[in-house]
Amino acid sequence: MRLMKIRGAVQLILIVAGVLVSAGTLWAQDKPIGDVARQARAEKAQAPHAKKAVTDEDFGPQLAPVSETDDPAQVFKKARHAWMTDMPRTCREYSNNSSGPGLSNESLREMAAPDQIRIVGDRRGGSDPGHNELIVIGSDMYSRIGAGPWRKDSAAGLAGLPHWVPEPLVDDYATGELKLVRRDAAGGVPAFLYETKFHPGGVAFRDRTIDFWVGANDNLLRKIESLTKETGPSSGGVEDRYSITCSYGPIPAIKPPI
């Protein structure tokens, strides 16, 4: 079993926070991310469309590349490779840690191309709650904290941003470490739900469950949920939750804010 380090709730907007801290900025509160997400959806969807009910017919073998008989470890490997290459996509993340007063992060990440990225994040609880935005267009980076002014910098130091990988996707899974749970749906898309359970770092009282939803007809990662529990007598039952849901297709135009 691979070793995975618990990074807590800060994994949600790791890159955004790193960029802003390195610039010597601080968090400040602004409009909630729910408003930003609703605005993005309104710009994207010009006409309503009915949700499609997923049935067994959607999992027909003629639609594969993924079938129930495939080795889950190989399905995951292909899905992770597709994650690194498939754009555009929109992802919404959420994390929550119950330790002490609690801490939660929420973000919207839109990637139109490797050099066209928009990230909006909200952090609640902890010592630095607030709102932040980051836009990358070509070699230019724009950032702002709360309702403050936009700041323009070079994006030269963000070479890894287009290849951002959520922590649950960092490590490989060997045959037997992942199991197929059931046929399911993620965002109305037919998917297979896979699950793994282990003790991060080999710590017996630390339990982690990760669920992956992989599109049955496109092998794309549609959703990830992770739950880590500290079950030791002195841990107080601390829980660390993380989730990400992604959709693939056109997104609102990403333009310079200034």
Side-chain angles (χ1 to χ4, degrees):
M1 181 70 66
R2 67 216 168 281
L3 301 181
M4 296 180 67
K5 179 182 178 182
I6 294 182
R7 299 175 184 172
V10 295
Q11 63 185 359
L12 173 64
I13 46 176
L14 182 60
I15 294 176
V16 180
V19 170
L20 299 177
V21 170
S22 65
T25 56
L26 297 175
W27 296 86
Q29 293 186 355
D30 194 14
K31 62 182 179 181
I33 189 172
D35 293 344
V36 177
R38 283 190 290 273
Q39 179 180 348
R41 288 195 295 270
E43 294 174 356
K44 177 181 177 181
Q46 299 300 319
H49 53 278
K51 292 185 178 180
K52 178 182 179 297
V54 176
T55 67
D56 286 347
E57 294 180 358
D58 293 302
F59 293 85
Q62 75 279 2
L63 299 176
V66 186
S67 69
E68 290 170 293
T69 59
D70 291 341
D71 179 357
Q74 291 303 311
V75 172
F76 174 84
K77 184 176 181 180
K78 293 177 182 178
R80 188 175 67 171
H81 175 74
W83 172 275
M84 301 292 290
T85 59
D86 224 286
M87 290 188 187
R89 65 171 174 259
T90 299
C91 296
R92 291 175 173 81
E93 299 173 275
Y94 177 78
S95 71
N96 177 271
N97 185 279
S98 65
S99 178
L103 175 68
S104 68
N105 287 315
E106 192 173 1
S107 74
L108 170 68
R109 185 183 297 247
E110 298 173 310
M111 305 182 74
D115 61 348
Q116 296 182 41
I117 302 166
R118 175 168 51 217
I119 305 173
V120 182
D122 282 293
R123 182 180 177 93
R124 301 178 179 88
S127 60
D128 55 355
H131 175 88
N132 73 86
E133 298 179 56
L134 178 72
I135 292 177
V136 176
I137 300 176
S139 60
D140 296 325
M141 178 185 74
Y142 306 86
S143 63
R144 75 169 178 172
I145 307 300
W150 283 97
R151 172 177 173 175
K152 181 179 179 181
D153 296 291
S154 170
L158 298 179
L161 186 59
H163 305 297
W164 156 72
V165 178
E167 185 180 8
L169 300 184
V170 170
D171 295 322
D172 274 324
Y173 293 88
T175 297
E177 288 188 324
L178 277 169
K179 70 174 183 178
L180 173 65
V181 178
R182 63 177 181 270
R183 294 181 175 188
D184 209 338
V189 175
F192 290 114
L193 170 57
Y194 300 92
E195 186 175 84
T196 182
K197 295 183 178 182
F198 57 98
H199 302 293
V203 180
F205 59 81
R206 184 175 297 150
D207 302 322
R208 178 172 292 173
T209 300
I210 306 178
D211 293 320
F212 300 96
W213 283 259
V214 178
N217 303 325
D218 54 23
N219 213 149
L220 296 177
L221 279 158
R222 297 284 174 171
K223 183 178 179 181
I224 303 173
E225 289 186 352
S226 174
L227 172 61
T228 303
K229 293 183 177 181
E230 300 284 343
T231 58
S234 61
S235 65
V238 173
E239 294 187 353
D240 187 359
R241 296 179 180 271
Y242 173 80
S243 68
I244 177 171
T245 58
C246 293
S247 60
Y248 299 80
I251 65 174
I254 298 177
K255 301 177 181 179
I258 55 176

